[in-house]
Amino acid sequence: MDTDKNPTVEEGAAAMESKDDADSFTKVKSRKTQKRKLEPDGADMDTEEPVKRPQFKPLSADKLRGPDEMRKIPVPAHRYTPLKDNWLKIFTPIVENLQLQVRFNLKTRNVEIKTCKETQDIGSLTKAADFVKAFILGFQVEDALALIRLDELFLESFDVTDVKPLKGDHLSRAIGRIAGKGGKTKFTIENVTKTRIVLADTKVHILGSFQNIKMARTAICNLILGSPPSKVYGNIRVVASRTAERF
């Protein structure tokens, strides 16, 4: 009789252990079932009505323009007289064409340009500031006016010593190579590259389009590094002819 009871006790204990194991493990949902559940939800999303975009009234010119802005361009002492002599030529296009306000502050020695109610284009303030800056750097008023009339013109300035650290007579000879006898080399580079160049002591200022400035800068750097002008002329003409063929 005892032998008959023992197997039933063991079977009951095994059944209890299997139940505990079943409770300890949680069933993990398969990915297939999750995808199947998501698909009908996505179908419902497609059937929903699209959200309408909000429509706002256009802003008025006064709100779009914002508060008045001002630019100040410092004037060095050696440019006071040229600025005074050409003030009417500088004043007229800024006020009449760009509809800006301009004045020369005698205390701070700055040319101040300010927007007003009549100003229509926001970018005209930057054009006027570049125009005045070009004149102060040494360009003629007629050449600087191109910055107002054309959009794709830029100013670039660099120092001769940035290309090669020269001192004394070596620096003077490098500047002389850029200018040439009677300014011949400078005029040749200007005519071939269609740019305007100003030599002010060790500073070099170039006015022109991006591609033309690149050609002029390369020629000037070669002259500073010691290349003879005849070789530089040939290289410029080759590059200029290639760019003319492209366009």
Side-chain angles (χ1 to χ4, degrees):
M1 293 295 289
D2 295 336
T3 55
D4 294 338
K5 289 179 182 178
N6 289 334
T8 56
V9 173
E10 290 175 359
E11 286 174 3
M16 289 294 288
E17 287 179 0
S18 64
K19 284 182 181 180
D20 293 339
D21 293 339
D23 294 338
S24 61
F25 291 105
T26 56
K27 290 183 179 181
V28 180
K29 294 180 181 179
S30 64
R31 292 182 180 179
K32 290 183 180 179
T33 55
Q34 289 179 358
K35 286 181 181 179
R36 286 171 187 171
K37 287 181 179 179
L38 287 172
E39 283 174 1
D41 293 336
D44 294 335
M45 290 294 288
D46 295 335
T47 55
E48 289 180 2
E49 294 182 0
V51 180
K52 292 182 179 179
R53 291 183 179 180
Q55 294 181 352
F56 301 104
K57 294 180 180 179
L59 291 172
S60 61
D62 296 334
K63 291 181 180 179
L64 187 64
R65 186 171 57 84
D68 292 336
E69 295 182 10
M70 181 185 287
R71 297 284 174 88
K72 296 179 181 180
I73 301 98
V75 182
H78 69 279
R79 295 299 292 173
Y80 291 160
T81 305
L83 183 69
K84 185 179 178 182
D85 295 339
N86 296 281
W87 180 251
L88 194 61
K89 294 180 182 178
I90 296 168
F91 173 86
T92 305
I94 292 174
V95 175
E96 293 184 359
N97 298 341
L98 300 177
Q99 280 116 25
L100 296 167
Q101 295 177 351
V102 61
R103 72 172 183 179
F104 179 65
N105 195 328
L106 293 170
K107 290 182 179 179
T108 58
R109 300 289 185 182
N110 290 334
V111 176
E112 297 177 354
I113 306 168
K114 186 181 177 183
T115 57
C116 59
K117 292 181 179 179
E118 287 76 20
T119 307
Q120 296 176 354
D121 187 10
I122 300 170
S124 58
L125 187 64
T126 306
K127 286 184 179 180
D130 290 341
F131 165 58
V132 175
K133 185 181 178 183
F135 176 77
I136 288 167
L137 289 175
F139 292 97
Q140 296 293 326
V141 179
E142 291 76 16
D143 296 332
L145 268 173
L147 287 165
I148 292 177
R149 293 172 182 167
L150 302 173
D151 291 331
E152 297 180 356
L153 287 184
F154 306 96
L155 274 172
E156 183 166 336
S157 302
F158 64 92
D159 203 307
V160 174
T161 55
D162 293 340
V163 182
K164 191 176 182 181
L166 300 169
K167 292 180 182 179
D169 293 338
H170 298 288
L171 181 60
S172 301
R173 280 195 290 271
I175 295 168
R177 279 198 300 275
I178 298 169
K181 187 178 180 180
K184 180 185 174 184
T185 307
K186 183 173 81 78
F187 292 142
T188 305
I189 295 171
E190 285 180 345
N191 293 332
V192 175
T193 60
K194 297 177 183 176
T195 56
R196 287 290 177 267
I197 300 168
V198 169
L199 287 172
D201 196 15
T202 60
K203 294 281 185 183
V204 180
H205 310 292
I206 308 172
L207 170 66
S209 64
F210 179 79
Q211 195 70 26
N212 294 342
I213 286 174
K214 186 180 178 182
M215 284 193 291
R217 187 179 63 237
T218 305
I220 292 168
C221 290
N222 289 336
L223 287 169
I224 293 168
L225 293 171
S227 297
S230 58
K231 187 177 180 181
V232 173
Y233 293 160
N235 292 337
I236 292 171
R237 288 194 177 94
V238 169
V239 175
S241 62
R242 284 177 185 172
T243 52
E245 287 174 0
R246 286 178 189 174
F247 295 106

